Amino acid sequence: MREIVITEFMDEAAIERLKARHETLYDPGLVDRPEDLARAVANVRALIVRNRTQVRGALLDAAEKLSCVGRLGVGLDNIDVDACKARGIAVYPATGANDLSVAEYVVSAAMTLLRGAYSATADVAAGKWPRQTLIGRELAGKTMGLVGLGSIAREVAWRAQAFGMQVAATDPMLLANDPAWQLARNVSLDGLLAISDVISLHVPLTDATSRMIGAAQIAAMKPDAILINAARGGVVDEEALAEALRVGSIGGAALDVFETEPLTAEAGAKFAGLDNLILTPHIAGVTVESNVRVSDLIARTVLAHLEKA
């Protein structure tokens, strides 16, 4: 009898490890076929997902024998953790396994937007030689502002310092004597917005953080500031950000996460024509290396859960 179902992409070596010890269905297209998914999980003990599979409601009702959920990532927005707890279902995120990938994304996005020299290939090849319009800025001497100082933000802080940046952070969840503050100056959100050249968001999506970066917060930033969101969609008011980018009241932005995911053409229309914006499809935490780490961690965790049970 099938014991494990995997609904989104996973590293092949980790899949083979699971298959060697338990009957496993790997079908990364199941996430888009809800009726097939409900049938597939009817008698399984373990479900492995990424961020698109909604582990809640009807899916949990269909998975009567489910005892654990492995999350190929760290955010749990797509999993009803309380409902799982009530049913005795353990939820295992891949904590720490993709920290490096997200940190590198943040720093590389900041560098790309500040420097502004990497989108002129066609012009240079055509002989236009636009040197004056491509004179950008350096990371060194700038201030990196981190909203949230968890494990990923700390990796960003290390890398920002290596480039000669100052680092400021705000995180009401950390005590003032937490060792993490050795990496960053502890400031309020208002203070961070005022002094930062690059602002990177590292918070979950909750009632308190929903659209926490809106028109007023963007107006409080430096007019040439860069905003990066590789945390969760919904933390930024996308309409307000698009308008600020369009009128030039902010220097640039990189968004890897969105209120609507996958981003539809309709939802993405607000960003049309903006050349000071980088959009990526929720991929900051996914590299070849991190996929191996995340997949290996979840495979080992799920196996340990099933075999202990």
Side-chain angles (χ1 to χ4, degrees):
M1 183 179 292
R2 183 182 300 146
E3 291 192 281
I4 303 171
V5 168
I6 308 164
T7 66
E8 299 178 65
F9 71 91
M10 187 175 185
D11 181 63
E12 291 183 7
I15 296 168
E16 293 305 314
R17 178 180 297 176
L18 294 168
K19 286 182 175 180
R21 291 158 73 170
H22 296 274
E23 186 69 24
T24 300
L25 171 64
Y26 173 57
D27 183 349
L30 271 177
V31 63
D32 296 312
R33 306 195 313 273
E35 292 183 1
D36 291 345
L37 175 56
R39 285 192 291 269
V41 301
N43 294 300
V44 301
R45 296 171 61 202
L47 177 64
I48 297 177
V49 304
R50 284 191 181 268
N51 65 304
R52 292 185 58 214
T53 306
Q54 298 299 309
V55 185
R56 61 181 78 251
L59 183 58
L60 287 175
D61 290 341
E64 294 181 355
K65 296 184 179 179
L66 191 65
S67 69
C68 74
V69 178
R71 166 70 168 94
L72 296 164
V74 293
L76 299 176
D77 302 25
N78 59 311
I79 300 173
D80 188 336
V81 177
D82 290 337
C84 287
K85 184 177 180 180
R87 296 166 188 248
I89 300 169
V91 177
Y92 299 114
T95 304
N98 64 359
D99 289 1
L100 296 178
S101 299
V102 180
E104 288 191 1
Y105 175 97
V106 170
V107 174
S108 60
M111 183 178 293
T112 300
L113 288 164
L114 281 171
R115 191 66 190 263
Y118 307 116
S119 60
T121 299
D123 286 345
V124 174
K128 295 183 180 179
W129 212 244
R131 292 188 73 195
Q132 292 303 116
T133 59
L134 295 180
I135 295 174
R137 296 177 285 160
E138 301 172 348
L139 289 180
K142 304 295 188 298
T143 296
M144 172 69 77
L146 303 171
V147 180
L149 194 56
S151 60
I152 294 174
R154 296 174 203 187
E155 294 290 346
V156 174
W158 282 111
R159 284 154 181 77
Q161 289 175 347
F163 278 100
M165 300 186 78
Q166 303 296 314
V167 180
T170 182
D171 192 328
M173 303 303 292
L174 285 184
L175 296 175
N177 61 352
D178 191 292
W181 292 117
Q182 296 177 24
L183 293 170
R185 175 184 169 194
N186 187 352
V187 298
S188 66
L189 177 60
D190 289 344
L192 183 142
L193 297 175
I195 67 174
S196 299
D197 300 287
V198 179
I199 297 164
S200 183
L201 307 180
H202 298 274
V203 295
L205 180 61
T206 66
D207 290 342
T209 64
S210 178
R211 298 198 174 192
M212 68 180 297
I213 304 298
Q217 289 73 31
I218 293 170
M221 297 177 190
K222 294 182 178 181
D224 57 359
I226 302 299
L227 177 66
I228 301 171
N229 186 14
R232 283 291 173 267
V235 174
V236 174
D237 182 331
E238 294 174 3
E239 295 282 357
L241 175 61
E243 178 61 20
L245 291 167
R246 188 162 283 110
V247 302
S249 60
I250 185 175
L255 300 179
D256 184 56
V257 289
F258 305 89
E259 289 185 289
T260 300
E261 288 193 15
L263 188 67
T264 63
E266 181 180 6
K270 65 177 78 74
F271 301 121
L274 297 174
D275 59 6
N276 51 351
L277 176 65
I278 296 171
L279 301 180
T280 52
H282 206 145
I283 203 73
V286 185
T287 59
V288 171
E289 295 86 354
S290 74
N291 185 40
V292 171
R293 292 192 300 268
V294 165
S295 299
D296 178 70
L297 174 58
I298 292 303
R300 287 189 284 108
T301 304
V302 167
L303 286 173
H305 175 95
L306 293 178
E307 291 166 13
K308 180 179 178 181

